[in-house]
Amino acid sequence: MSGHSTASRNTNRAGVFNVPLFRLLAINLAIGIVVAGLLVGGLLLLNPGGLRHLIFTDRSPWVAVGLLLFGFVVTFGSAAMGSAIMAAGLPRDEDDRGGGPGKMVRQEVGAKART
C-alpha cells in the first residue's frame, strides 16, 4: 500500500509541470534567475565604485554577495514572471489586424490614397 502512495505522489509532482501556467511561471522565473546571476557577476567583474573591493574585503563576503543576488533574483524573477503573465493574452500571429491599446497596426496604402 505504501508503494501506491509513493507512485501517486510522483505523479502529482510531474502533474504540476504539466499545468501550462505553472510551467510558464517556472520558465520565466528561471530566466529571471539567470539574468540576475549575470548582472551580479557583471557588477563584480566591472567593479563600479569599488563594489567588488568593498564586498570582498569584508569578513563574510558571501553573505553580501548572497543578499545582492537575492535582491536581484526577486526583482528580475518577478519582472520576468509578470511580463509573461501580462503577455499571455496577446495574439501570437504577427499579421493580425487587431489594434489594442499601445499596439501599432500596419496599414497598407493603396494607389488611390496616394493621389
Side-chain angles (χ1 to χ4, degrees):
M1 218 157 135
S2 65
H4 177 68
S5 64
T6 304
S8 67
R9 274 187 274 158
N10 290 339
T11 305
N12 289 339
R13 283 189 201 147
V16 171
F17 289 106
N18 289 332
V19 177
L21 179 61
F22 183 78
R23 190 171 54 243
L24 175 77
L25 291 176
I27 289 170
N28 283 284
L29 177 62
I31 290 169
I33 290 171
V34 168
V35 169
L38 290 173
L39 286 174
V40 168
L43 278 175
L44 293 176
L45 183 68
L46 293 175
N47 195 22
L51 180 68
R52 181 181 60 220
H53 177 72
L54 181 67
I55 289 174
F56 288 114
T57 55
D58 189 33
R59 285 183 295 171
S60 55
W62 299 112
V63 172
V65 171
L67 288 171
L68 186 64
L69 185 62
F70 176 75
F72 274 62
V73 165
V74 167
T75 302
F76 290 102
S78 61
M81 290 166 62
S83 63
I85 290 294
M86 288 186 275
L90 296 177
R92 293 178 182 229
D93 189 11
E94 292 288 329
D95 289 331
D96 67 335
R97 302 296 287 174
K103 183 173 181 184
M104 297 179 68
V105 179
R106 182 178 52 166
Q107 297 179 353
E108 296 177 13
V109 179
K112 224 178 197 183
R114 288 186 216 165
T115 58

